[in-house]
Amino acid sequence: ENAENMYFFSDLALTLNEPEERVAPTDSRLRPDQRLMESGRWDEANVEKQRLEEKQRAVRRRREAEAVEALEEGKDYEGYIPLWFERKVDAVTGELLCVYKGGYWEAKDKQDWSTCPDIF
């Protein structure tokens, strides 16, 4: 019903970005620029998107500097390590996979998001 006004998206597609309570502060549905865009505040959304992108660039520059510093000191540098996934190579295909390693649902139950980075 009313599909022509909803870009012919399915009901599922229309609800994928609906906010949900008690999710990690890194959940993409909490992106402030996206929330602004969805409420029709385009200019504010664009300013916020620029702020978020610059914040991401600053984090990348910091990590790159830390890697250079570690190399100069002869130390290992692991870089970014995902919280809830780990990279593994599939033994059969040789493909790189991201495999859930646990922790998200426990953090959600406890509402303990202290390990989450501040990405927004």
Side-chain angles (χ1 to χ4, degrees):
E1 185 177 329
N2 204 22
E4 65 279 358
N5 293 327
M6 300 296 181
Y7 307 101
F8 295 96
F9 288 161
S10 67
D11 287 338
L12 173 64
L14 289 169
T15 60
L16 283 175
N17 203 42
E18 287 294 315
E20 181 182 329
E21 293 182 10
R22 302 177 50 84
V23 295
T26 53
D27 190 296
S28 64
R29 293 172 290 183
L30 300 177
R31 281 181 56 138
D33 60 325
Q34 197 168 354
R35 297 287 100 191
L36 289 166
M37 181 194 68
E38 289 181 352
S39 64
R41 296 162 61 188
W42 297 100
D43 292 338
E44 291 172 76
N46 285 326
V47 169
E48 184 62 17
K49 181 176 183 283
Q50 293 298 319
R51 184 192 69 80
L52 288 174
E53 288 174 346
E54 184 50 44
K55 185 174 184 175
Q56 291 169 353
R57 288 184 199 104
V59 169
R60 185 192 69 230
R61 287 190 297 266
R62 188 192 80 236
R63 285 187 184 139
E64 289 171 350
E66 288 172 353
V68 168
E69 184 179 319
L71 181 64
E72 289 172 351
E73 295 175 2
K75 297 178 182 175
D76 288 333
Y77 180 74
E78 290 191 39
Y80 175 73
I81 301 170
L83 291 177
W84 299 301
F85 293 88
E86 59 187 339
R87 293 184 177 114
K88 291 188 174 186
V89 176
D90 185 287
V92 175
T93 66
E95 289 182 286
L96 184 62
L97 304 173
C98 291
V99 179
Y100 179 64
K101 65 181 180 182
Y104 175 81
W105 299 108
E106 295 80 4
K108 186 173 183 176
D109 285 344
K110 295 177 188 171
Q111 284 297 285
D112 178 8
W113 304 115
S114 59
T115 60
C116 289
D118 174 18
I119 64 171
F120 301 134

